[in-house]
Amino acid sequence: MSIVFDEKKKLFYLHSKRTSYIFGFLNEHLVHIYWGSRLDTVPGADACVPHCSRPQALYNCPERRDLQKDTLPLEFSTFGNTDLRNPTVHIQYADGSTISEFEYVSHEILDGKPSLDGLPSTFAGDSGVQTLAIRLSDKIKGVDILLYYSVFEDKDAIARHAEIVNRGTETIKILSCMSANVDFADCGYEVITLCGAVQRERYVQREAINFGNKIIESRRGASGHQRNPFIALVRKNTSENSGEVYAMNLIYSGNFIAGADVDCYSTTRVYMGINSFDFSWRLCTDEKFVSPEAVMVYSDSGIGGMSRIFHRLYRENLCRSKWALSERPVKINSWETALFDFNEDTLLALAQKGKRMGADMLVLDDGWFGRRNDDTTSLGDWSVNYEKLPGGLSSLADKLKAMDMKFGLWVEPEMVSEESALFKMHPDWCIHVPGRKKTYGRAQLVLDLSRREVCDYIVNTMTEILNSADISYIKWDMNRNMTDVGSSALPAERQRETAHRYILGLYYILDTVTAAFPDVLFESCAAGGGRFDGGMLYYMPQIWASDNSDACDRAKIQYGTSLVYPVCTMSAHVSRVPNVVNGRITPLKSRCDIAMMGQFGFEFDPAKLSDEEFEYCKNAVADFKKYRNIIHFGDMYRLSSPFETNIAAWQFVSQDKNEILLIVFNIMSEVNGPFHILKLEGLEKQAIYRDDESKLEFSGALLMQMGIHFRNTADFSTKVLHFTKD
Ligand code: DGJ
């Protein structure tokens, strides 16, 4: 049993193999007690929760003036009754009041894990999972809140979400609803977040938090390039392989917020959920609002330990595609090769060369439909451009099949160009506020997915496309953020629901389309990595990590992304030099080695390669195919960070622990420089590991304790070492 309720002490224990999360009651208050390494018993809330009477603090029980909500570590907090910190839930009632008082009513412990209505979430699969559902109620207004905690016993993770049910007679307005809240009785933590920009996604940022609020958020209608819905609190001495980490990741693709607030009593509140900025949700009688899921991970073996927990969980219990745990095709993609300028012959020639290099699939990117010869037109008009493809998609797919190549296709179904038949027919189908000037991104507008008829149009369009030819893969792009937020189909009082309704509409579309075409491999993309989140991964097991394929920048992007997301979820291609994004020239080998730490592909025209380079690529694909199981499904250890040193290093240990792959990326050469010592991890001390190349043998203890010595001798060079256990 991973969830236990101690009736006598009124304590809830949520145990996984190595962790415990404990909370209980102090009077009627649901108080947080512990989150950390496994702990089987505690004396009770009274003895464990630090509480004392603070001068001027507020209380709501005259007999217990020491129980001041503002100073207690709470499991759940509402506005208006003495806890003045950021509330978990904030509701406005029909009388205009915004005060709630939720009291415990009951709880149940369920085997397995219920799914979340309309939202992606982790699933139990073959893992042992139990779920605790706690019902709280505001008796005056007849509103219930259900707090869900699902414990993945063998994975050391807890998935949380909240549901608000209106059992009262009046419509209420939800002003905010966090998915999870944890109050720590102390402070002094550092916060790790993943921040960046377009083409510089998910750089690791670590900073101390002092008195005040640290917030990361998105108000863009997508999780965004700029901030990822991930926050981790670490101790000052926590490193990659030791120390405590408390992490939260939201399974959601829209506006989110995550905060870490240190208050005047030196306690820390961490929370995460839908961003309440420009949000509200009207809930009528008998309706239910479901928050997205927050996944919580505790690790006492550093940031790397945290990542390995997320990786296993997301591979096995989040990505629902049948491709999640399978080897996937190596792609050759037309985008950086040809942009909009191609025809069937040039595509077949590209595929032919790709095939000779070992690729399994041609991906036809943007430009195959309508009159799309640049980015100003045709989104929404998903009919084939017969000037470029005289035989349509099916002829191309058939010809590819004849050469034993699969066919992949790019789409951007959430968008519409003003220059399109769809826009002319349905000018009100885009997100906009009537009477206001529209704003553009890449000359396009965002379709209003809060409207069911728009979603159904997309489902039908995608169904037609997928039925029209033998298509094995879809790259689902989304190239602008949401502005002019409003829906002409929603009444005035529901306008602030638009952004969340858009995401629910998107999930409805993805749910329907991916379920109808289970064999198709779907890849998510948002102008590169602008929507790299667990919500998208639920439907699509891989995401184009960035439009920046420069080896040097990609090393950082993929390193940062790997803090949460498994390597097999990152799509990574080898592109030409000078790099189209930053002009940098890096060796072909480094570009291949970095792309190997993802779903491998090419983004250039092999016809432009020298014979030697062509041969190199061929071998690189063969190497990737040889090693991908270790990289994608083994354990990853980050040995050296490109954010901290001049060398980046990743180690992968195969699932059966018999093979090790080490990938080292030297950033800048250091003339007559020092040795960088890389100490390997996760090996058997007594075992002997043989380096394939040198045939030298090393004990596990030596590799872990003495390590391997590297020198940075050439700019942007890589070294790959493969060891086999004797
Ligand atoms: C943005 C994507 O990130 C690129 O890979 C490419 O598909 C373009 N869109 C096409 O417009």
Side-chain angles (χ1 to χ4, degrees):
M1 289 274 280
S2 49
I3 301 178
V4 178
F5 180 58
D6 182 333
E7 185 75 55
K8 229 164 85 208
K9 294 184 195 161
K10 298 258 175 293
L11 291 180
F12 294 101
Y13 289 92
L14 277 55
H15 293 306
S16 70
K17 242 194 306 185
R18 282 174 293 257
T19 73
S20 295
Y21 185 96
I22 306 170
F23 60 98
F25 294 92
L26 200 53
N27 272 22
E28 81 277 19
H29 307 302
L30 212 49
V31 284
H32 177 75
I33 293 176
Y34 176 79
W35 184 21
S37 302
R38 186 158 173 142
L39 193 61
D40 283 295
T41 50
V42 299
D46 241 325
C48 292
V49 171
H51 56 95
C52 62
S53 196
R54 302 274 189 183
Q56 294 299 321
L58 308 153
Y59 54 90
N60 57 355
C61 173
E63 302 80 55
R64 288 292 305 264
R65 285 174 73 150
D66 60 318
L67 293 187
Q68 300 156 348
K69 273 196 174 177
D70 205 26
T71 71
L72 287 175
L74 298 173
E75 205 46 39
F76 172 84
S77 150
T78 44
F79 175 71
N81 46 60
T82 79
D83 179 16
L84 299 178
R85 292 166 291 179
N86 191 66
T88 323
V89 163
H90 194 191
I91 294 173
Q92 185 168 31
Y93 298 98
D95 60 7
S97 69
T98 55
I99 292 166
S100 306
E101 181 72 275
F102 284 95
E103 285 168 14
Y104 169 85
V105 177
S106 61
H107 73 267
E108 57 179 332
I109 297 170
L110 317 162
D111 283 331
K113 182 175 188 295
S115 52
L116 276 63
D117 290 353
L119 286 163
S121 60
T122 51
F123 48 83
D126 294 334
S127 307
V129 180
Q130 276 198 319
T131 300
L132 168 67
I134 297 188
R135 182 176 293 273
L136 311 170
S137 191
D138 182 300
K139 295 202 174 96
I140 294 178
K141 298 292 183 183
V143 175
D144 283 1
I145 292 191
L146 284 135
L147 305 177
Y148 285 90
Y149 301 76
S150 294
V151 182
F152 288 82
E153 191 169 5
D154 58 335
K155 299 266 171 49
D156 291 314
I158 300 175
R160 281 177 68 172
H161 80 279
E163 294 181 359
I164 303 178
V165 184
N166 185 0
R167 292 186 302 101
T169 50
E170 297 163 341
T171 298
I172 62 168
K173 197 201 259 182
I174 301 168
L175 302 176
S176 102
C177 175
M178 292 299 104
S179 301
N181 179 87
V182 181
D183 283 354
F184 295 85
D186 60 350
C187 65
Y189 294 92
E190 293 181 344
V191 167
I192 299 180
T193 52
L194 299 173
C195 302
V198 176
Q199 299 165 0
R200 184 167 45 77
E201 294 92 339
R202 293 171 299 284
Y203 275 29
V204 179
Q205 180 168 291
R206 179 171 174 161
E207 65 207 287
I209 40 163
N210 299 311
F211 179 68
N213 305 338
K214 165 75 192 171
I215 280 172
I216 54 151
E217 62 176 338
S218 167
R219 302 176 176 191
R220 302 171 165 268
S223 47
H225 299 84
Q226 294 74 8
R227 311 265 184 276
N228 197 261
F230 160 77
I231 191 166
L233 257 60
V234 297
R235 306 275 175 196
K236 284 204 169 78
N237 61 358
T238 295
S239 67
E240 187 58 31
N241 52 18
S242 70
E244 290 192 299
V245 183
Y246 304 86
M248 279 189 198
N249 181 224
L250 198 66
I251 309 296
Y252 188 60
S253 311
N255 295 337
F256 72 91
I257 189 161
D261 301 350
V262 180
D263 74 356
C264 59
Y265 307 119
S266 297
T267 69
T268 308
R269 168 166 290 181
V270 186
Y271 54 90
M272 178 172 261
I274 285 188
N275 201 340
S276 54
F277 177 81
D278 202 32
F279 164 86
S280 68
W281 193 273
R282 283 171 68 79
L283 202 65
C284 304
T285 301
D286 290 335
E287 281 183 351
K288 178 167 85 172
F289 177 84
V290 181
S291 85
E293 180 170 282
V295 175
M296 306 204 319
V297 167
Y298 167 81
S299 154
D300 60 5
S301 47
I303 304 158
M306 167 202 77
S307 299
R308 286 185 290 281
I309 294 173
F310 274 122
H311 293 178
R312 272 188 70 210
L313 183 75
Y314 285 4
R315 278 193 308 244
E316 294 168 23
N317 303 87
L318 176 63
C319 296
R320 71 169 190 182
S321 161
K322 70 172 243 191
W323 289 95
L325 300 173
S326 316
E327 291 176 349
R328 305 180 206 163
V330 169
K331 302 153 268 165
I332 179 146
N333 181 298
S334 66
W335 181 243
E336 285 188 26
T337 315
L339 298 177
F340 299 95
D341 184 15
F342 54 79
N343 58 40
E344 193 184 84
D345 291 341
T346 61
L347 291 172
L348 290 170
L350 184 66
Q352 192 66 259
K353 294 242 164 46
K355 165 96 191 139
R356 281 182 42 221
M357 289 197 307
D360 308 296
M361 175 193 284
L362 173 85
V363 177
L364 171 52
D365 211 284
D366 199 351
W368 59 268
F369 53 93
R371 290 177 293 104
R372 186 127 167 128
N373 295 316
D374 57 36
D375 64 13
T376 59
T377 77
S378 302
L379 292 173
D381 297 347
W382 297 101
S383 49
V384 179
N385 178 334
Y386 287 99
E387 277 169 34
K388 292 181 184 176
L389 303 171
L393 296 178
S394 58
S395 149
L396 177 61
D398 292 346
K399 289 177 184 160
L400 288 169
K401 200 172 183 177
M403 61 169 86
D404 195 24
M405 281 289 268
K406 292 180 192 305
F407 176 43
L409 191 67
W410 178 97
V411 290
E412 194 180 1
E414 299 163 60
M415 300 288 150
V416 62
S417 307
E418 257 188 347
E419 213 30 64
S420 69
L422 181 69
F423 185 75
K424 291 200 175 72
M425 210 164 13
H426 297 291
D428 64 329
W429 270 18
C430 61
I431 296 268
H432 73 292
V433 176
R436 295 231 173 238
K437 231 164 77 179
K438 297 194 180 66
T439 53
Y440 304 88
R442 217 189 183 208
Q444 64 200 46
L445 301 167
V446 183
L447 282 173
D448 183 356
L449 304 196
S450 74
R451 299 173 67 157
R452 185 46 76 97
E453 68 272 35
V454 178
C455 296
D456 286 335
Y457 155 80
I458 295 176
V459 169
N460 292 338
T461 308
M462 285 307 302
T463 307
E464 272 171 36
I465 294 173
L466 281 159
N467 281 332
S468 73
D470 196 350
I471 297 169
S472 304
Y473 157 105
I474 286 287
K475 177 176 175 186
W476 186 293
D477 207 349
M478 191 283 286
N479 279 294
R480 64 157 292 185
N481 286 146
M482 212 185 276
T483 53
D484 322 321
V485 181
S487 168
S488 44
L490 289 172
E493 66 277 15
R494 288 196 182 270
Q495 286 299 314
R496 296 180 84 174
E497 297 176 12
T498 308
H500 182 50
R501 284 186 182 274
Y502 177 95
I503 296 295
L504 293 178
L506 173 64
Y507 290 153
Y508 159 74
I509 296 168
L510 297 180
D511 194 46
T512 315
V513 175
T514 57
F517 295 93
D519 295 334
V520 173
L521 170 62
F522 286 86
E523 174 166 325
S524 172
C525 173
R531 215 162 48 181
F532 207 121
D533 57 66
M536 297 311 286
L537 284 177
Y538 176 75
Y539 304 101
M540 310 196 185
Q542 60 191 57
I543 300 179
W544 179 229
S546 177
D547 270 350
N548 186 343
S549 294
D550 163 59
C552 204
D553 290 350
R554 261 301 180 118
K556 287 186 172 165
I557 291 166
Q558 293 176 197
Y559 187 101
T561 306
S562 79
L563 254 60
V564 186
Y565 307 101
V567 171
C568 62
T569 65
M570 297 177 219
S571 190
H573 293 176
V574 182
S575 58
R576 67 172 182 270
V577 287
N579 181 270
V580 289
V581 165
N582 63 12
R584 189 179 280 136
I585 297 179
T586 54
L588 183 57
K589 172 172 163 41
S590 317
R591 282 175 276 146
C592 290
D593 290 343
I594 297 294
M596 190 150 78
M597 289 183 282
Q599 294 297 344
F600 194 90
F602 294 104
E603 193 92 22
F604 56 45
D605 185 356
K608 306 233 163 82
L609 297 176
S610 67
D611 289 350
E612 200 187 325
E613 287 170 329
F614 190 88
E615 248 348 85
Y616 186 83
C617 288
K618 213 166 136 183
N619 290 331
V621 176
D623 279 348
F624 169 72
K625 289 184 175 174
K626 189 160 78 193
Y627 297 138
R628 64 179 156 191
N629 267 310
I630 314 175
I631 300 173
H632 290 169
F633 305 119
D635 281 336
M636 188 196 74
Y637 296 86
R638 290 177 296 258
L639 300 186
S640 183
S641 165
F643 295 102
E644 288 163 17
T645 69
N646 205 5
I647 191 167
W650 298 259
Q651 178 205 334
F652 301 90
V653 179
S654 63
Q655 276 176 316
D656 63 9
K657 313 271 180 231
N658 287 338
E659 289 177 84
I660 310 166
L661 195 76
L662 187 62
I663 302 182
V664 184
F665 180 48
N666 298 306
I667 302 173
M668 300 299 285
S669 73
E670 297 160 330
V671 178
N672 219 351
F675 284 109
H676 294 268
I677 303 173
L678 298 177
K679 294 187 178 175
L680 272 53
E681 294 181 47
L683 309 184
E684 284 169 40
K685 279 191 173 184
Q686 307 304 330
I688 298 297
Y689 297 87
R690 192 173 352 95
D691 174 1
D692 276 0
E693 200 182 300
S694 67
K695 309 285 179 237
L696 290 173
E697 294 189 338
F698 305 89
S699 70
L702 182 142
L703 290 171
M704 292 195 290
Q705 289 161 223
M706 190 174 104
I708 306 180
H709 295 57
F710 280 95
R711 278 196 53 224
N712 255 357
T713 47
D715 289 356
F716 316 129
S717 61
T718 47
K719 178 97 191 136
V720 176
L721 295 175
H722 178 252
F723 297 85
T724 314
K725 195 171 96 178
D726 257 0

